[in-house]
Amino acid sequence: MGNNRPMRATVPLALAVVWLSVATPAGQTAQSRPSPARGLTELSQSLQDLAERVSPSVVQVFVTGYAQPDEDDQAASEPVLERSSGSGVIVDPDGYIITNAHVVERATRIEVELALAATGSAAGSSVLRRRGRVVGAQIVAIDHETDVAVIKVEGKGLPVLPFGDSEMLRPGQIVLAFGSPLGLESSVTLGVVSAVARQLTPEDPMIYIQTDAPINPGNSGGALVDTEGRLVGISTLIYSQSGGNEGIGFAAPSNIVRNVFAQIRKTGRVRRGDIGVHTQTITPLLAEALGVTGDAGVVLSDVVPGGPAARAGLQPGDLVLALDGKRMENGRQLRINLYARGVSDTVVLDVLRGDRKLSLKVPVGERDSDVGRLKDLVAQQVPIRSLGVLGLTLTPQIAELLPNLRRQKGVVVASVSQLVPYSQQGRLQPGDVIYSLNGKVIETTADLNTATSSFKPGTAAVLHIERSGTLVYLAFRMER
């Protein structure tokens, strides 16, 4: 992706057939030009070389964990352990692997199959590839907003797939999908980019690369690569009426994935960028009422007082013309482009205020309501070992990170481990606030540790928690 240089000896398939059958270079007769068969053979060989180079960096991920709760069958008495598999991509030689959050989020045990060192493909060697080495893996961090997870295995010098630049992708560009669909390891499929910035819901800032390269269950977390063998996306989901591939697959863009990985690698969590503005698309009616003329497509309907944009000089009513030199045509486009920016980055907004054009540098701050900031409060965190979490006693300062809480006392879940108990209603998540255990009011981490210390393994327990403004019960059996 970073540029459009073709891989050595690679010619796009559709163009190859036309070029080989029609084009005749100057001074070359039809009899002396390369045959279509030879050109296709070279194309096939280049794709084989690419697959051989990429495959060792794409791994199969085996997960033992609890089944996804069935919303239509909440009466089931006990959660059930199951085995499943997905895919992952090695992006760091020290064992860091990117996969999807939904592949590993309910895991109690994770294993990864690493490819064995290549032994060549000499004539007469078996076409059956030896199975790789299976090793244990641990979750480093999960980012639910992008459905990206980072896991780690012990290892050095592992084969890495380099990141490409997803901003350079264009519809029609050839891509290949690598992964383990339906458990079939080291599978590769070919297709094109169908769309480069597909937004699945109108208000979701997350965008996806749409592709018709066949993707099936088990491909989740696998690699979407360009013809240079660079990672341009992480296969994430499909649209399907049958449950299998129907030519509508989606991959998380590599630029977003790379930003998420870099932050997790450095700090263990993702900090969400924000500049403190609310944007709206300028509709014809809005333009008429505001007297807007010209090409402006975005208006700032609000600028948060004291936020990064306000400090940079932006005002409500400013018309946004461009972000970092890229023309902004609607409010959604501006939000999507800001979403990929990291905290401490600086963006340049070209705005129109009355008849004046301004170019303002705006530092990207951290989203105020980001529950990931709870992990930064290391000194205040208390282990709740029986629940597999780190907790924080709710204080007014912590409550500012979790606006509009129902109550003023409780225990906030700062982070969770793979040891967290599983219930039919799901698992504890960062940002959950625990208010009671088996009907007993919990106000501090000391209260929670005291209450859980009297429970024996197998005892039924129910937590009353607040999650995203809603009170819910989580019922489970104590495991420790």
Side-chain angles (χ1 to χ4, degrees):
M1 280 174 20
N3 56 51
N4 291 320
R5 296 192 312 273
M7 191 183 72
R8 181 177 60 85
T10 297
V11 181
L13 181 57
L15 295 180
V17 176
V18 174
W19 178 78
L20 290 167
S21 60
V22 177
T24 302
Q28 188 179 75
T29 65
Q31 289 77 17
S32 63
R33 72 187 180 199
S35 68
R38 177 183 172 188
L40 290 176
T41 298
E42 292 176 351
L43 170 63
S44 178
Q45 185 61 55
S46 67
L47 294 176
Q48 293 173 50
D49 292 343
L50 184 147
E52 187 173 351
R53 191 168 71 249
V54 169
S55 289
S57 300
V58 182
V59 300
Q60 189 168 12
V61 180
F62 301 100
V63 175
T64 301
Y66 290 100
Q68 172 72 32
D70 188 344
E71 295 180 1
D72 298 325
D73 188 22
Q74 290 291 332
S77 59
E78 302 288 347
V80 178
L81 278 172
E82 66 176 10
R83 284 183 60 82
S84 60
S85 66
S87 305
V89 183
I90 302 172
V91 293
D92 185 286
D94 290 338
Y96 287 90
I97 297 170
I98 289 175
T99 185
N100 281 137
H102 71 259
V103 171
V104 298
E105 64 183 343
R106 284 176 289 278
T108 59
R109 181 182 182 186
I110 302 173
E111 295 177 307
V112 170
E113 182 176 343
L114 300 175
L116 296 176
T119 57
S121 55
S125 60
S126 174
V127 297
L128 295 177
R129 188 177 67 90
R130 288 192 300 162
R131 295 303 298 256
R133 178 169 55 98
V134 177
V135 298
Q138 299 292 324
I139 294 175
V140 178
I142 288 177
D143 182 45
H144 286 97
E145 192 163 314
T146 57
D147 196 12
V148 169
V150 176
I151 62 177
K152 188 178 187 305
V153 300
E154 292 300 321
K156 294 289 184 181
L158 298 181
V160 171
L161 194 60
F163 281 101
D165 183 359
S166 54
E167 289 287 331
M168 297 298 292
L169 282 179
R170 295 294 180 267
Q173 186 170 336
I174 289 178
V175 287
L176 295 91
F178 289 78
S180 301
L182 304 176
L184 302 172
E185 80 283 355
S186 299
S187 296
V188 56
T189 58
L190 176 72
V192 299
V193 173
S194 304
V196 294
R198 184 68 73 198
Q199 195 175 26
L200 302 185
T201 58
E203 297 304 317
D204 189 353
M206 183 62 184
I207 58 173
Y208 296 90
I209 302 162
Q210 182 182 333
T211 179
D212 70 348
I215 295 173
N216 286 283
N219 271 111
S220 291
L224 189 73
V225 305
D226 62 10
T227 52
E228 297 260 0
R230 296 170 300 196
L231 180 66
V232 296
I234 294 293
S235 300
T236 300
L237 73 155
I238 60 174
Y239 275 2
S240 174
Q241 295 181 342
S242 65
N245 171 65
E246 294 182 6
I248 307 175
F250 301 93
S254 61
N255 286 11
I256 291 178
V257 174
R258 175 166 42 195
N259 181 35
V260 168
F261 171 68
Q263 292 192 56
I264 288 175
R265 182 77 167 84
K266 182 178 181 180
T267 67
R269 72 174 184 90
V270 180
R271 303 169 67 196
R272 297 287 176 213
D274 186 41
I275 64 170
V277 298
H278 182 74
T279 63
Q280 290 182 239
T281 300
I282 300 177
T283 62
L285 185 61
L286 186 58
E288 182 180 346
L290 293 177
V292 175
T293 59
D295 297 330
V298 182
V299 61
L300 299 184
S301 58
D302 190 19
V303 178
V304 177
R311 294 195 299 269
L314 288 166
Q315 300 176 8
D318 284 346
L319 306 179
V320 180
L321 305 177
L323 170 68
D324 288 339
K326 184 177 181 180
R327 181 184 172 190
M328 293 292 106
E329 299 178 350
N330 54 67
R332 183 178 69 175
Q333 181 191 13
L334 180 61
R335 290 192 295 273
I336 288 172
N337 278 269
L338 285 172
Y339 185 73
R341 302 303 199 274
V343 177
S344 77
D345 285 354
T346 298
V347 297
V348 178
L349 287 177
D350 296 328
V351 301
L352 183 64
R353 182 180 300 162
D355 58 358
R356 291 190 301 152
K357 287 188 176 181
L358 305 172
S359 184
L360 301 175
K361 293 183 177 181
V362 185
V364 178
E366 185 168 2
R367 189 191 299 172
D368 287 338
S369 59
D370 190 352
V371 298
R373 299 174 71 180
L374 295 169
K375 293 185 69 174
D376 290 342
L377 305 175
V378 177
Q380 303 176 47
Q381 294 176 14
V382 176
I384 314 296
R385 291 184 172 84
S386 57
L387 298 181
V389 304
L390 291 176
L392 296 162
T393 297
L394 182 59
T395 64
Q397 293 74 25
I398 293 174
E400 292 178 0
L401 303 178
L402 303 166
N404 304 316
L405 288 178
R406 300 283 193 92
R407 304 177 188 177
Q408 297 179 346
K409 293 183 178 181
V411 173
V412 180
V413 177
S415 63
V416 301
S417 72
Q418 290 175 223
L419 300 178
V420 64
Y422 195 82
S423 80
Q424 197 67 19
Q425 298 79 37
R427 305 173 93 169
L428 285 169
Q429 300 175 8
D432 287 347
V433 184
I434 299 171
Y435 293 133
S436 72
L437 171 63
N438 282 19
K440 183 177 181 179
V441 174
I442 299 296
E443 295 186 348
T444 67
T445 54
D447 290 344
L448 187 55
N449 268 324
T450 299
T452 57
S453 65
S454 63
F455 283 65
K456 296 180 179 179
T459 302
V462 60
L463 294 170
H464 199 203
I465 69 169
E466 180 174 349
R467 175 179 294 168
S468 302
T470 301
L471 297 176
V472 297
Y473 287 106
L474 296 184
F476 54 93
R477 292 196 180 277
M478 298 295 290
E479 299 178 1
R480 286 171 299 283

